[in-house]
Amino acid sequence: MASDPIERPVVELEGVSRRFGATLALDNVNVRVPEGVVFGLVGTNGAGKTTLIKHVMGQLRAVRGKVSVFGLDPATHPTEVLSRIGYLSETGELPEWMRVHELLRFMRGFYPAWDESYADSLLTTFELSRDTKVGELSKGQRARLGLTLALAPRPRLIVLDEPSSGLDPLVRRDILRAIIRTIAEEGRTVVFSSHLLDEVERVADRVAIIDRGSIIQNDDLTSLKASFHRVVVRFDAPVRDRPTIDGCFNWQGSERQWSAYYRGASQDVEEKIRRSGAEVIDRQAPTLAEIFLALVDSRHSDIESPA
Ligand code: ATP
């Protein structure tokens, strides 16, 4: 069957594993990012986000598995692939001695589609002066400049590793969101990693949760949110240890009142809760942050994990 061109992935990782000594940083990772999608990658510190992004950028070669970006291996075709990517790295190294306008002019040489007027408008939005030396910029101003450099080439793919670190809440909430959504509406693709779950929830179309090198969830945000449920449960008497009820993969709470997390159909699980003598007193759609915490906590405390 001919593949739908809209569904053809811009980024694809198939069975990618990566080990650093005893640490399995990526464990059989499969990810597809179709064109025009905003893909948010979330995980705790050391979960493997930067390692995954470095494979997309060809900075790390897949030891096991296959990476393809625009249909090419970024490690063996760096020029073709990187000229189509705007990239903001986690560390955001920039040449300290250059002035902002000199750095922009230097970067322009690498990108045929560099958009000078867009670069200017981003500098204005980010309140950056063209004459300031990079070394004199504050952490937040450097983050803003890093974003300008990633966006001004008007690349087909934008890869942002922790774009929010260093940005103040205003830029994070309003400007970053506006920029990322505009990019997606223009049919370009965004891959970004973040610890800020509320930000990911506002911006991303698809979300992958990575934990200890494994992708434990990878779905469009709406389906992901619709498949998880949280109920508030009241027990007759204080419960000291986390309750265990078949179907619930995580519990948060204390004494008589607990929140139970489960996925799938509600009737079965709630019936089991009631049969255990407890009462379901509220039902709420969990936020992405709550789903993330419940999933990661369940894996880390070795409680029954959802299939
Ligand atoms: P953070 O949110 O803290 O930036 P992350 O999710 O980006 O974390 P990675 O930087 O991908 O995590 O690291 C994943 C694991 O691989 C960690 O245990 C890290 O210590 C290890 N690791 C990453 N790069 C290297 C390296 N070059 N040498 C050795 N270990 C590494």
Side-chain angles (χ1 to χ4, degrees), residues 20 23 25 44-51 90 195:
F20 295 109
T23 306
T44 53
N45 285 128
K49 302 181 295 297
T50 297
T51 306
E90 187 182 37
H195 291 285

Side-chain angles (χ1 to χ4, degrees), residues 26-289:
L26 293 180
D27 185 5
N28 191 24
V29 165
N30 294 292
V31 162
R32 290 176 107 245
V33 185
E35 192 165 16
V37 161
V38 178
F39 179 87
L41 181 64
V42 301
T44 53
N45 285 128
K49 302 181 295 297
T50 297
T51 306
L52 192 158
I53 284 175
K54 284 185 173 171
H55 279 80
V56 173
M57 297 302 299
Q59 293 169 359
L60 289 173
R61 188 186 293 261
V63 176
R64 250 186 54 203
K66 194 173 155 226
V67 180
S68 113
V69 181
F70 300 111
L72 297 168
D73 179 344
T76 55
H77 295 80
T79 314
E80 296 94 317
V81 174
L82 294 183
S83 63
R84 288 192 257 174
I85 304 182
Y87 174 49
L88 177 72
S89 76
E90 187 182 37
T91 44
E93 289 109 357
L94 298 169
E96 306 283 319
W97 48 272
M98 276 189 173
R99 295 189 187 276
V100 168
H101 71 87
E102 290 168 339
L103 180 55
L104 290 171
R105 200 175 55 218
F106 172 72
M107 294 298 288
R108 197 169 60 201
F110 294 97
Y111 293 99
W114 184 274
D115 185 336
E116 195 64 24
S117 64
Y118 186 40
D120 276 342
S121 84
L122 287 166
L123 290 184
T124 307
T125 306
F126 289 147
E127 297 173 343
L128 289 170
S129 153
R130 300 173 63 86
D131 291 323
T132 313
K133 264 200 172 155
V134 171
E136 291 164 10
L137 296 173
S138 72
K139 192 176 166 215
Q141 288 168 331
R142 295 168 74 96
R144 292 166 183 223
L145 178 58
L147 266 176
T148 304
L149 297 173
L151 297 165
R154 292 225 178 253
R156 299 302 309 158
L157 170 65
I158 290 148
V159 177
L160 308 170
D161 194 357
E162 291 284 347
S164 312
S165 59
L167 295 179
D168 57 74
L170 181 75
V171 176
R172 222 161 60 201
R173 203 192 59 209
D174 296 339
I175 301 180
L176 190 61
R177 179 177 190 279
I179 288 172
I180 289 182
R181 289 311 325 172
T182 308
I183 290 166
E185 276 152 28
E186 290 168 357
R188 292 179 283 151
T189 312
V190 182
V191 171
F192 78 110
S193 73
S194 180
H195 291 285
L196 302 170
L197 280 295
D198 58 337
E199 170 184 293
V200 176
E201 186 164 352
R202 270 200 308 272
V203 172
D205 303 309
R206 284 190 77 84
V207 175
I209 299 177
I210 184 165
D211 185 49
R212 295 171 174 171
S214 296
I215 301 281
I216 59 169
Q217 281 294 315
N218 184 1
D219 214 337
D220 73 80
L221 181 64
T222 314
S223 317
L224 177 75
K225 288 190 67 187
S227 65
F228 285 91
H229 308 278
R230 175 163 85 95
V231 283
V232 182
V233 177
R234 184 169 294 145
F235 292 88
D236 295 349
V239 178
R240 229 186 33 189
D241 297 325
R242 287 180 202 241
T244 47
I245 291 177
D246 197 23
C248 299
F249 68 90
N250 189 245
W251 291 84
Q252 303 284 337
S254 63
E255 303 283 325
R256 291 181 57 202
Q257 191 157 311
W258 291 75
S259 280
Y261 289 85
Y262 63 92
R263 68 184 304 179
S266 58
Q267 285 113 331
D268 286 1
V269 174
E270 291 188 23
E271 181 55 32
K272 281 178 195 154
I273 291 172
R274 274 190 285 273
R275 267 195 266 126
S276 77
E279 186 191 355
V280 173
I281 58 170
D282 199 7
R283 272 177 208 87
Q284 282 158 3
T287 62
L288 179 63

